[in-house]
């Protein structure tokens, strides 16, 4: 922001006119919240939230590698409406009502992924979510596309950092998907409280099967990790050795001696922000 001080009055005036000419959602103001406000007496526990609609949509539009057919999904008014109605259903949850940790994890992971998909389809066609994450002026999908839950707005950043990361479950980082190739695989099924633990473990194991996330160079005593393991390192342990021991539980067996050994060098892979778009035939 300090750079604005050096602008002339005429430049500042031109900048102001330009910003006023932009649609509201592109002037750095919050977009209209997704979902709806439910009266308190109609709100329900997260254990009562039905994720079957989201499950059906994921099975239809997401392939086995987690790539999304955004064009077909957006072109189907029925499926676009179904996603939006599912988000309205999520709005009915009361975060203060008693619910198991598994139900809460399933709810918030699904909420994060469904809200991201909705946000991408609002701007599709696009090549990357980073085209819609302005730092100063303009729309930032991570902050400016809130979902109403229990009468309060929750942005993607709030869901990730203020809710999910505070649940002391590092495997969420292998489950929430920011619509990018560098992200973990988007499961083509919804998370449910009955299966959440198994789904999170399966995702973690799958994550470390891919070279875009994990590589080892035994002769160099070096491992290469996804930038996710750098950005959120402390979620996996307070020290590097603790972090490596944690991920060793999910990595290929051949890599575990290196991960749990001494004097290993850790490097981080470049993150691919390209859209997780299903290739056209």
């Amino acid at each position: 922001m300090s750079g604005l001080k050096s602008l002339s009055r005429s430049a500042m005036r031109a900048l102001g006119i330009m910003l006023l000419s932009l649609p509201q959602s592109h002037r750095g103001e919050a977009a209209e919240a997704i979902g709806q406000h439910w009266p308190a007496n109609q709100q329900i526990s997260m254990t009562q939230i039905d994720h079957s609609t989201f499950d059906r949509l994921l099975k239809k539009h997401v392939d086995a590698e987690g790539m999304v057919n955004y064009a077909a999904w957006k072109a189907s008014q029925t499926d676009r409406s179904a996603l939006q109605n599912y988000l309205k259903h999520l709005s009915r949850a009361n975060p203060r009502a008693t619910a198991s940790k598994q139900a809460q994890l399933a709810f918030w992971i699904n909420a994060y992924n469904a809200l991201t998909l909705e946000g991408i389809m609002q701007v599709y066609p696009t090549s990357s979510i980073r085209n819609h994450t302005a730092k100063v002026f303009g729309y930032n999908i991570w902050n400016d596309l809130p979902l109403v839950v229990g009468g309060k707005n929750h942005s993607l950043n709030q869901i990730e950092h203020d809710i999910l990361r505070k649940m002391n479950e590092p495997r969420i980082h292998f489950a929430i998907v920011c619509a990018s190739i560098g992200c973990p695989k988007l499961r083509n099924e919804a998370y449910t409280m009955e299966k959440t633990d198994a789904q999170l473990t399966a995702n973690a194991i799958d994550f470390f099967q891919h070279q875009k996330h994990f590589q080892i160079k035994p002769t160099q005593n070096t491992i290469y990790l996804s930038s996710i393991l750098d950005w959120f390192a402390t979620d996996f342990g307070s020290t590097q050795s603790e972090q490596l021991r944690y991920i060793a539980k999910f990595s290929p067996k051949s890599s575990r001696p290196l991960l749990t050994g001494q004097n290993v060098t850790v490097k981080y892979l470049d993150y691919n922000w390209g859209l997780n778009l299903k290739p056209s035939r």
Side-chain angles (χ1 to χ4, degrees):
M1 290 295 289
S2 60
L4 294 178
K5 295 179 181 179
S6 63
L7 292 176
S8 65
R9 287 187 177 182
S10 60
M12 288 289 285
R13 181 173 180 273
L15 177 61
I17 293 172
M18 179 182 70
L19 291 172
L20 288 172
S21 68
L22 292 172
Q24 179 176 333
S25 62
H26 297 295
R27 295 203 303 261
E29 302 172 28
E32 183 177 352
I34 301 296
Q36 71 180 67
H37 288 268
W38 291 83
N41 63 357
Q42 294 183 30
Q43 294 177 20
I44 58 178
S45 166
M46 290 180 183
T47 61
Q48 298 172 278
I49 293 295
D50 182 2
H51 300 291
S52 60
T53 292
F54 191 41
D55 186 78
R56 177 183 64 80
L57 292 169
L58 291 171
K59 283 180 167 61
K60 182 175 180 179
H61 295 292
V62 180
D63 68 17
E65 300 304 316
M67 308 303 275
V68 185
N69 191 338
Y70 290 103
W73 197 336
K74 183 169 183 174
S76 171
Q77 186 56 52
T78 298
D79 290 346
R80 286 289 288 115
S81 296
L83 178 61
Q84 291 162 355
N85 288 333
Y86 170 69
L87 289 163
K88 290 178 182 178
H89 178 59
L90 294 182
S91 294
R92 193 177 178 186
N94 179 355
R96 297 171 296 281
T98 300
S100 68
K101 182 177 180 179
Q102 299 305 310
Q104 294 177 59
L105 282 167
F107 177 89
W108 288 113
I109 292 170
N110 286 335
Y112 186 97
N113 290 343
L115 186 59
T116 299
L117 288 164
E118 170 63 22
I120 291 296
M121 277 183 279
Q122 287 186 6
V123 297
Y124 188 81
T126 186
S127 60
S128 171
I129 194 171
R130 292 306 300 268
N131 297 335
H132 314 283
T133 57
K135 293 182 179 179
V136 181
F137 296 116
Y139 172 70
N140 186 319
I141 189 174
W142 291 324
N143 296 320
D144 299 330
L145 188 72
L147 172 67
V148 180
V149 178
K152 294 184 178 180
N153 288 358
H154 297 75
S155 70
L156 286 166
N157 268 336
Q158 288 170 329
I159 292 172
E160 179 177 11
H161 301 294
D162 298 341
I163 298 174
L164 282 169
R165 291 184 66 197
K166 292 183 178 180
M167 294 182 73
N168 194 32
E169 177 46 83
R171 291 176 298 171
I172 62 109
H173 294 297
F174 310 127
I176 57 175
V177 180
C178 62
S180 302
I181 293 170
C183 289
K185 179 176 72 177
L186 175 65
R187 294 185 72 88
N188 58 359
E189 65 176 4
Y191 289 82
T192 63
M193 62 180 176
E194 297 84 4
K195 298 193 297 181
T196 299
D197 187 64
Q199 291 171 315
L200 289 174
T201 294
N203 262 31
I205 292 171
D206 178 82
F207 187 87
F208 292 101
Q209 301 299 315
H210 298 275
Q211 287 206 336
K212 63 182 178 180
H213 303 311
F214 180 67
Q215 299 174 22
I216 62 171
K217 305 291 184 183
T219 58
Q220 302 171 20
N221 215 38
T222 300
I223 62 169
Y224 293 81
L225 300 175
S226 163
S227 293
I228 291 171
L229 280 300
D230 182 22
W231 301 331
F232 306 108
T234 56
D235 290 3
F236 298 92
S238 58
T239 66
Q240 180 175 285
S241 60
E242 287 181 3
Q243 295 156 15
L244 295 181
R245 283 197 299 271
Y246 181 88
I247 68 174
K249 296 184 292 184
F250 309 108
S251 68
K253 288 184 178 180
S254 60
S255 69
R256 294 175 189 175
L258 184 58
L259 286 167
T260 57
Q262 300 295 318
N263 301 318
V264 62
T265 298
V266 177
K267 296 184 179 181
Y268 296 97
L269 299 162
D270 291 337
Y271 203 78
N272 187 341
W273 287 103
L275 190 68
N276 60 342
L277 178 66
K278 182 177 180 179
S280 57
R281 294 183 178 179

